[in-house]
Amino acid sequence: MMVNQIDEIKAQVIDLRERIHTGELFDSLGPVSGKMLDDLEFNVSTPVTQISGKDELLLLARVDQFNQHLAEQTVNELTENDIKVLLAGLKQTNPQIRDQGVFMALMQGIQQDAFSLVQEQMMVRELLKDEVLFSHINEPENDGIFQRSFAIFLLALLIYSGRRKHIKLMNHDQWNELIEKIGIYIVLERDTRGYVADKGWAHAFTHLGNLLDEINVNAQVDRADKIFLETLLVERVKRVKTPLVMGEVERIARYIVNLAKINDLYLQYILRQLKQWRPELMRQMQAENYDSWTQHYNQTHLLAAILLQKDLPPLLYEYLDEGRAFLI
């Protein structure tokens, strides 16, 4: 069932993307994509598999082995399977294994340029697989969020590393795949949890801000795709029914302002987006239920976070400042 739903959303995302590339949806992309989001429903929950206690010990041994290679500067000698075993550990709910173990090791390897280009390209392919990026994504809150969210975070780190080292991490077709799949991810992701008791950080929407920032500064991504992803994220945030209270709105605000500063085209688009947004918020205040008020305050907190950015372009500052009282 998940495959069929993802295929359906993929077809819709591809269609929206093609229509914004032709200019058909430039001003109406928000309402059209919002309608797609409104029509989504959750699947029935299914179990998120975890490895056994014995296998957890073996995975920790793999992490220790990796750290030894890192110390000896021999990470490039690791096999593809060695790295795949570590990547699979991102699904574990035990934060000592996932956060302090697997993720920390891989992050240090990326930051220290320990991986070969071939190894980094392989990691990108693995992280973009449907069974990783969309693991249990169309179900109510579940432990699949950890694998999804940390896949997004690692993709951001890998793309940043490639940009910093001036290497070609992905070809044109792979960038195309990335844009499509991140678009699908934004549409489907509704788990907004930050810190999860006894399981550590999920933080998908914060990690998404990191990845989208990297996409924005990459010359291989055209303007239409940057507008496309920004619009999907804004429309997704409008519809989130759980409070965003652990830094997500601040990170997303930073991403939006960074985009506005790149080119006047983005600045003018975001200004029009804000002008469409205000009457929507006014109408939402007429509803008297928890979900609507949660959505309202998520949005006003995001707009306030944008207003508070020190380098906010004057055009956006002036418009948001006019409605400052409305954002309190």
Side-chain angles (χ1 to χ4, degrees), residues 5-280:
Q5 288 183 331
I6 289 177
D7 285 345
E8 182 180 340
I9 294 299
K10 180 178 181 180
Q12 294 182 55
V13 167
I14 291 173
D15 178 65
L16 286 177
R17 187 180 175 209
E18 289 176 350
R19 292 166 70 187
I20 192 173
H21 273 263
T22 62
E24 179 186 347
L25 287 180
F26 189 76
D27 286 325
S28 57
L29 177 62
V32 173
S33 57
K35 175 66 167 58
M36 176 177 62
L37 295 173
D38 288 335
D39 291 340
L40 287 176
E41 295 182 358
F42 281 120
N43 271 352
V44 176
S45 295
T46 58
V48 180
T49 59
Q50 298 283 288
I51 59 177
S52 67
K54 178 181 178 180
D55 287 337
E56 281 188 343
L57 294 176
L58 292 174
L59 179 57
L60 287 174
R62 291 277 194 149
V63 172
D64 290 340
Q65 179 190 51
F66 178 89
N67 288 332
Q68 185 63 37
H69 278 283
L70 193 60
E72 296 173 357
Q73 299 183 348
T74 57
V75 169
N76 58 1
E77 295 178 4
L78 292 173
T79 67
E80 184 173 303
N81 186 64
D82 290 332
I83 298 173
K84 286 182 178 180
V85 169
L86 291 176
L87 289 174
L90 295 174
K91 70 171 65 174
Q92 295 306 113
T93 58
N94 184 336
Q96 291 184 325
I97 294 175
R98 184 190 66 254
D99 288 11
Q100 288 86 44
V102 173
F103 176 74
M104 190 63 66
L106 292 172
M107 180 180 68
Q108 289 178 342
I110 295 169
Q111 291 178 338
Q112 295 179 30
D113 299 333
F115 293 104
S116 69
L117 175 58
V118 171
Q119 288 173 324
E120 291 187 344
Q121 290 172 331
M122 182 276 293
M123 284 192 282
V124 169
R125 291 194 302 272
E126 287 296 309
L127 294 168
L128 281 176
K129 286 183 175 179
D130 286 4
E131 57 265 33
V132 174
L133 204 57
F134 307 139
S135 172
H136 299 267
I137 197 170
N138 208 28
E139 302 173 14
E141 286 184 358
N142 60 78
D143 291 336
I145 185 61
F146 297 107
Q147 186 175 32
R148 300 195 305 266
S149 178
F150 279 85
I152 292 289
F153 200 173
L154 279 178
L155 283 168
L157 290 173
L158 286 163
I159 294 171
Y160 168 74
S161 176
R163 177 168 63 89
R164 178 175 54 82
K165 294 184 291 188
H166 304 287
I167 61 173
K168 189 173 182 179
L169 184 66
M170 295 185 288
N171 60 32
H172 175 77
D173 288 343
Q174 290 169 323
W175 272 107
N176 189 60
E177 179 187 10
L178 175 74
I179 298 301
E180 284 185 2
K181 289 197 169 181
I182 297 308
I184 296 166
Y185 177 87
I186 295 171
V187 169
L188 291 173
E189 184 61 86
R190 284 160 287 184
D191 193 331
T192 64
R193 288 176 295 172
Y195 189 82
V196 182
D198 301 321
K199 296 177 181 179
W201 287 101
H203 242 179
F205 282 80
T206 296
H207 295 166
L208 190 55
N210 296 337
L211 177 57
L212 291 174
D213 254 346
E214 280 304 312
I215 290 173
N216 279 350
V217 297
N218 197 288
Q220 295 186 70
V221 182
D222 62 32
R223 293 176 178 181
D225 282 332
K226 293 173 185 178
I227 287 174
F228 175 62
L229 293 177
E230 188 271 349
T231 304
L232 288 180
L233 180 61
V234 167
E235 295 302 318
R236 166 46 64 213
V237 170
K238 288 180 183 179
R239 289 158 175 80
V240 166
K241 296 179 180 178
T242 47
L244 297 170
V245 295
M246 293 193 179
E248 299 88 358
V249 293
E250 291 79 9
R251 184 63 189 86
I252 294 171
R254 183 67 255 165
Y255 151 69
I256 291 173
V257 172
N258 286 344
L259 178 61
K261 291 172 59 182
I262 291 174
N263 186 282
D264 188 62
L265 173 71
Y266 305 126
L267 175 60
Q268 295 295 335
Y269 179 82
I270 291 169
L271 179 61
R272 284 195 294 273
Q273 192 177 49
L274 292 173
K275 289 180 178 179
Q276 290 177 346
W277 201 338
R278 186 176 291 177
E280 293 176 15

